[in-house]
Amino acid sequence: MDTRRLGYFVRVVDVGNITRAADSLHITQSALSQHISALESDFKTRLLERTGRGVQVTVSGRSLYRYAQGILRLEKAARIDLRADNDAPAGLVTVGLASYSMAPGVAVPLLRAVRERYPNIHLQLIQNLTVVMSQAVLFGQVDMALIYDPGYVKGVVFDQVLKEEFHLVTSARTPRIGSRGDTVTLKEASRLDFIMPNELHTVRRVTDAAFHAAGLHCSVVAEVEPDTVLRDAVVNGLGATVLPLTAAREHFAPEEVRVYRFADTRLCTAMSLCTPEVQPLSHAAALVADLLRTLLLDASVSGRRAASA
C-alpha cells in the first residue's frame, strides 16, 4: 500500500475539498483525484462522495480515515526512530489528553520533563480528536491517553491514576448561591443555566446523572467543546459549568469565578492512563508513560494538600 496516498486521503478529509487539499499538498487537482480513485479501486469501495460544496466521507471512508491516521503516525514514528542515535531513547510518542479535566494541566510539565531527560523523543500532545480517545488508542492514532475512566473497553486497559471531584463554577459576576459560603446543594444549582460539553462527555454524564438521581433537572443552554470558549462564556456570566477542581484552577483566575463544592452529593470519577491491551508500548512511549505517572502522582499529592489547607 502506498502510504503517500493515505496521507493525501487524510488531507482531503481534513480539508473537505479536493481543490484546496491539492493546493496545500502542492499537486494538481487531477493528480490528487487520481490518487483517491486508485485508493477506491484498491479497497473496492467508494471513500468520498463529491458534492457541490466539496466532498463528503462515506461510511467506508470514515473507517479508512481512522486506520490511515494510525498507519501514518506509525510510519512517522519509524522514520524518527531509525534516524535517531541508538545510544539515546528516541521516537515519536503521542499522548491524548481529555478535555474538561486536569489532563491539559500536565501538558507543559510533561513536555518539559521529556525535553530535559529524553531530547530525542518527539512528543505530540493531542486534545481534540474526531473519535473517542480510547478508540484512538485502539486504532493506534495515539500511544496513550489520559482520560476519564469509561469502564471496560475491549482492546485497551485503564490504569487509574487519580480521582477527580467535580465542583460548580460560576462567574464572579453571578450573585452568590445559598448561604453556606463555598458549598451549594443540587437544588440550588438547578436554578442556574449551564454551559456543558455534549452528552457523550464524562463530565456531562456524571452531572446529568447526579441531578436526575435527586429528581432535578440540569438546564443546559449551550454545549461547548473547546475549553477556551467555555472559559470565556463562564467568565462573562453566560452560564455556570461543572469542572474538576484542578481544571477550574487551571482555566480560571481566582478573581474571575466562584467555585462551589456540592454539599449533598459527590460528583467524582477516576482519571486513568489508557494504553493498548495487546500491543506493547515502544521503549520511548514507556518512558513517557512513566514520566506522566510521576507527574500525576505529584499532582495528586499537591491536590490533597490544597484541599485540606
Side-chain angles (χ1 to χ4, degrees):
M1 181 186 298
D2 188 343
T3 56
R4 180 184 55 169
R5 282 178 177 163
L6 286 179
Y8 289 168
F9 171 72
V10 167
R11 180 63 61 86
V12 172
V13 174
D14 287 341
V15 173
N17 183 283
I18 287 185
T19 301
R20 292 200 300 270
D23 289 341
S24 68
L25 292 167
H26 306 294
I27 62 175
T28 65
Q29 179 180 342
S30 60
L32 181 55
S33 295
Q34 289 174 6
H35 283 297
I36 299 300
S37 296
L39 270 181
E40 292 179 328
S41 177
D42 189 18
F43 287 104
K44 297 180 173 56
T45 186
R46 185 166 291 280
L47 303 172
L48 301 171
E49 296 287 353
R50 280 68 171 176
T51 69
R53 295 183 177 181
V55 294
Q56 289 186 341
V57 190
T58 66
V59 174
S60 297
R62 290 189 185 281
S63 295
L64 179 61
Y65 178 78
R66 291 194 298 267
Y67 287 112
Q69 286 179 312
I71 291 169
L72 293 170
R73 193 190 71 81
L74 289 173
E75 181 187 35
K76 181 178 180 180
R79 292 184 183 280
I80 293 173
D81 196 9
L82 293 174
R83 287 200 305 265
D85 179 0
N86 291 332
D87 293 333
L92 173 67
V93 180
T94 307
V95 181
L97 303 171
S99 60
Y100 297 99
S101 76
M102 53 73 64
V106 302
V108 172
L110 178 62
L111 180 59
R112 181 182 296 113
V114 170
R115 294 303 304 143
E116 289 175 352
R117 301 189 190 189
Y118 311 116
N120 291 332
I121 290 180
H122 184 99
L123 188 64
Q124 283 187 336
L125 301 173
I126 298 176
Q127 185 170 5
N128 296 315
L129 282 172
T130 55
V131 297
V132 177
M133 281 290 185
S134 57
Q135 292 180 329
V137 173
L138 186 61
F139 291 135
Q141 293 173 244
V142 298
D143 290 292
M144 67 197 80
L146 181 59
I147 59 176
Y148 290 115
D149 193 332
Y152 174 75
V153 177
K154 185 177 181 180
V156 297
V157 294
F158 297 95
D159 178 15
Q160 188 176 125
V161 289
L162 54 84
K163 285 203 170 185
E164 290 269 63
E165 183 171 359
F166 299 158
H167 287 60
L168 175 70
V169 183
T170 70
S171 171
R173 306 175 187 179
T174 304
R176 285 194 174 276
I177 306 169
S179 58
R180 288 172 301 279
D182 63 350
T183 63
V184 65
T185 65
L186 283 171
K187 186 173 182 179
E188 290 167 338
S190 68
R191 302 186 185 113
L192 301 172
D193 291 332
F194 282 84
I195 299 175
M196 299 287 286
N198 66 50
E199 294 179 345
L200 297 178
H201 199 285
T202 300
V203 170
R204 175 71 175 277
R205 289 191 290 105
V206 171
T207 303
D208 283 346
F211 277 88
H212 180 74
L216 299 167
H217 175 64
C218 178
S219 177
V220 177
V221 297
E223 294 181 346
V224 176
E225 273 307 309
D227 291 0
T228 52
V229 176
L230 175 130
R231 197 204 84 82
D232 292 343
V234 171
V235 168
N236 283 281
L238 300 179
T241 195
V242 174
L243 286 173
L245 185 59
T246 49
R249 289 171 173 165
E250 180 73 25
H251 288 299
F252 303 100
E255 67 275 9
E256 292 178 323
V257 293
R258 293 191 176 97
V259 179
Y260 301 86
R261 181 174 56 84
F262 288 99
D264 51 351
T265 188
R266 286 195 70 203
L267 278 67
C268 60
T269 191
M271 289 293 295
S272 293
L273 187 61
C274 177
T275 54
E277 184 175 26
V278 178
Q279 181 68 26
L281 293 176
S282 68
H283 179 53
L287 292 172
V288 171
D290 287 342
L291 283 178
L292 184 53
R293 289 188 182 95
T294 300
L295 290 170
L296 291 168
L297 179 61
D298 293 343
S300 179
V301 171
S302 298
R304 288 196 297 270
R305 288 174 180 167
S308 61

